Amino acid sequence: LILLDSLLQEGQKMNEIEEVREWLETVTGEKGLEWEITPQNIKYLQDLRAKNLQKEKLIQVTLAETEKLSHEYEGELKRLDKILKQLGIDSSLLSTTSASYLQVLADSCSLLEEDNIGRGLEVALSRALLQQANKAPSIATAKAKIEAVKIENLKLYSQLERLEEAVKLAKKEGDEDLELT
């Protein structure tokens, strides 16, 4: 039983050494690397291998995310070019200021969930303005309530300040009475 256990441990060590050796060969690109096989070296190289593999996975995730964002960016560029073509504008001739205005227009279309420039955008914008106008009275009421609360708070602070002064005066007079007695 001890012999079998010893053989299993030896086999496990050989597997660990083989994993490290294969990893070193893939990292360096060289076959048959020579290195001193000690428990410390094996442990160090195993830790290094684990960190390396973890960072490789992180890099793969980062690359995948970058590629996804790149595709989204290309899609947005195509959408902006489509809008420009509808307006009859060549995107290569735009100045940075014009491009900024165009970006605001495109963002407005996105917010209004409108892909068409022209009548559809006007209707969506009118709808948004109407909603804003309908909310104006409730916003005004809320602002008035907030102002009333502010005024009430100022009154309370003023009363509190006067009370604090009265307490200080009473304490001072009490201290003077104590000194006299």
Side-chain angles (χ1 to χ4, degrees):
L1 185 62
I2 295 175
L3 180 61
L4 180 61
D5 194 34
S6 173
L7 288 174
L8 287 175
Q9 286 179 356
E10 195 64 34
Q12 184 179 357
K13 287 181 185 177
M14 293 303 289
N15 276 345
E16 291 172 357
I17 293 170
E18 191 57 33
E19 284 179 356
V20 169
R21 183 175 306 196
E22 288 174 6
W23 173 73
L24 282 173
E25 287 177 358
T26 58
V27 169
T28 62
E30 296 179 25
K31 298 272 185 193
L33 288 173
E34 292 184 20
W35 51 285
E36 184 179 353
I37 300 174
T38 65
Q40 295 85 5
N41 285 352
I42 292 171
K43 174 77 172 117
Y44 177 76
L45 289 171
Q46 284 176 325
D47 291 344
L48 189 61
R49 176 180 174 265
K51 288 177 185 176
N52 181 264
L53 293 175
Q54 184 181 18
K55 290 191 182 206
E56 282 181 2
K57 286 179 185 177
L58 180 62
I59 288 171
Q60 292 301 322
V61 169
T62 304
L63 286 174
E65 184 66 23
T66 303
E67 188 174 329
K68 177 185 166 205
L69 290 173
S70 173
H71 288 302
E72 289 176 5
Y73 180 74
E74 288 172 8
E76 183 66 13
L77 283 177
K78 288 177 183 176
R79 190 176 79 79
L80 290 174
D81 278 341
K82 177 184 167 191
I83 292 170
L84 285 174
K85 285 179 184 173
Q86 286 178 349
L87 293 171
I89 299 172
D90 182 10
S91 61
S92 63
L93 301 176
L94 289 177
S95 68
T96 55
T97 305
S98 300
S100 298
Y101 290 137
L102 182 62
Q103 184 63 45
V104 169
L105 182 61
D107 291 343
S108 299
C109 287
S110 293
L111 286 172
L112 296 170
E113 297 177 357
E114 183 62 46
D115 285 337
N116 297 321
I117 299 287
R119 194 76 184 135
L121 181 59
E122 289 175 24
V123 170
L125 188 56
S126 297
R127 218 177 298 124
L129 288 173
L130 182 61
Q131 287 175 350
Q132 184 179 7
N134 287 338
K135 291 180 181 177
S138 59
I139 292 172
T141 303
K143 284 183 179 179
K145 287 180 182 178
I146 290 171
E147 286 300 317
V149 168
K150 284 181 182 178
I151 290 170
E152 190 63 32
N153 280 344
L154 286 174
K155 288 179 185 176
L156 289 173
Y157 279 119
S158 176
Q159 290 174 354
L160 185 62
E161 190 175 310
R162 280 184 265 143
L163 285 172
E164 185 178 6
E165 289 174 12
V167 167
K168 285 181 184 177
L169 182 62
K171 184 179 180 194
K172 182 180 176 185
E173 288 175 359
D175 288 344
E176 288 175 359
D177 286 345
L178 281 177
E179 287 179 11
L180 290 176
T181 54

